[in-house]
Amino acid sequence: MSTQQQEPETQEAPKDPDMKGAQSPQDRRLAEKESGAIDEESEKRAELEGETVHIKVFRYDPEVEGKQEPRFDDFHVPFKKGMTVLDAVMYARDEYDSSLTFRHSCRQAVCGSDAFFVNGKQRLGCKTQISDLEQPVRIEPLPHQEVVKDLVVDMSHFYDQMHAVEPYFQDEDTPDVSDLEEQRQSPENREKIKMSSRCIWCGACMSSCNIAAGDNKYLGPAAINKAYKFAMDDRESEEIKEHRLRILEQEHGVWRCQTQFSCTEVCPKDIPLTEHIQELKREAVKKNLKFW
Ligand code: SF4
Ligand code: FES
């Protein structure tokens, strides 16, 4: 196995640590729509009709002699309206080289299995339009993970970190609820954890995080977001919330985050990860405040 060494593209981070002036991905998209950038994109798409798209795909296979040295293969794929990065690599695999290996399943941004490093940024293959990208389109496996083959990386460390925050509901001591009663959640509380519950475990955020790259024990943005979802859920007791905060405030937990915003920038589900991490930091401080 080899570890891919390239650094993710440096993403510009808002300089406001309190994030009062930070623009959410949703806001940015709306602003793009209003400024007419979206129309320009459709024009670009129309221009590509009938042409071929040049993709450069990372290749590596530890089990085949001659493929153990990482390299890029060039493919020229006929463009079709609406073609995504995933469509392009699937075409390359089906028509040119059946050994080209990558993960995918739902093709609608739900399963999280096709996160790649495309033109220097973590993106979901099935959600990324080819026509929005500079050519040649460079498609690589997620950085900072061990490459198993071609675009497939070993996700076991990511899953270990996700499981480390106990990502399941713990309701033993839920107050005021009898055994036979369903556990209700207020609409306000649902709204609060709504975004955090959108995570599809794609690993893009973890791969974009410089801190995670340098500290293998750091829980990472996805796991912390998962913990946020439960810690902020009113249906768990205060005791369990404290237990969760204890996990999060450990040496390799929330305090390792340096608010670089790279995770928030790449999350395909627009989850405000950095904001959630900062909120958990505040909760951890509040928990430890002593009053005399
Ligand atoms: S938080 Fe976003 S980027 Fe990170 S694993 Fe979940 S969906 Fe993917
Ligand atoms: S194929 Fe499922 S998220 Fe892209």
Side-chain angles (χ1 to χ4, degrees), residues 15 27 29-30 62 94 106 120 126 137 161 173 180 196 203 231-232 236 238 262 267 271 275 284-285 290:
K15 304 259 182 304
D27 291 340
R29 208 165 294 153
L30 273 176
D94 296 346
C106 68
C126 63
V137 180
Q161 301 307 76
D173 301 318
L180 297 175
S196 61
M232 296 299 166
E236 281 195 337
E238 276 304 310
S262 57
C267 176
I271 301 170
E275 249 176 76
V285 170
K290 304 263 186 291

Side-chain angles (χ1 to χ4, degrees), residues 86 103-115 124-127 200:
L86 181 61
R103 291 192 183 103
H104 71 91
S105 179
C106 68
R107 302 182 66 183
Q108 46 190 327
V110 175
C111 72
S113 59
D114 65 333
L124 279 188
C126 63
K127 202 184 170 191
I200 54 173

Side-chain angles (χ1 to χ4, degrees), residues 112 124 158 162 196 198-206 221-223 225 263 266-271 273:
L124 279 188
F158 174 77
M162 292 298 263
S196 61
R198 297 176 67 176
C199 177
I200 54 173
W201 296 48
C202 69
C205 55
M206 188 81 153
N225 173 72
C263 55
V266 301
C267 176
K269 306 309 274 184
D270 296 342
I271 301 170
L273 295 162

Side-chain angles (χ1 to χ4, degrees), residues 170-177 183 235-240:
Q170 298 179 42
D171 63 344
E172 290 86 358
D173 301 318
T174 304
D176 307 326
V177 176
Q183 293 186 353
R235 292 169 297 178
E236 281 195 337
S237 68
E238 276 304 310
E239 205 176 304
I240 299 288

Side-chain angles (χ1 to χ4, degrees), residues 39-109:
D39 284 349
E40 278 172 33
E41 276 165 21
S42 354
E43 271 168 35
K44 248 195 315 180
R45 254 166 239 162
E47 273 170 29
L48 274 172
E49 209 71 49
E51 291 185 13
T52 55
V53 177
H54 181 186
I55 58 173
K56 291 178 90 67
V57 186
F58 180 87
R59 305 301 305 273
Y60 165 75
D61 187 344
E63 287 175 7
V64 176
E65 207 183 325
K67 291 187 176 176
Q68 288 151 348
E69 276 303 307
R71 65 176 199 278
F72 282 88
D73 278 357
D74 293 271
F75 300 101
H76 295 270
V77 176
F79 177 80
K80 277 200 184 133
K81 195 174 175 191
M83 175 177 258
T84 63
V85 168
L86 181 61
D87 291 333
V89 287
M90 285 174 76
Y91 189 96
R93 177 197 61 193
D94 296 346
E95 302 297 327
Y96 304 133
D97 184 348
S98 58
S99 71
L100 176 56
T101 307
F102 49 93
R103 291 192 183 103
H104 71 91
S105 179
C106 68
R107 302 182 66 183
Q108 46 190 327

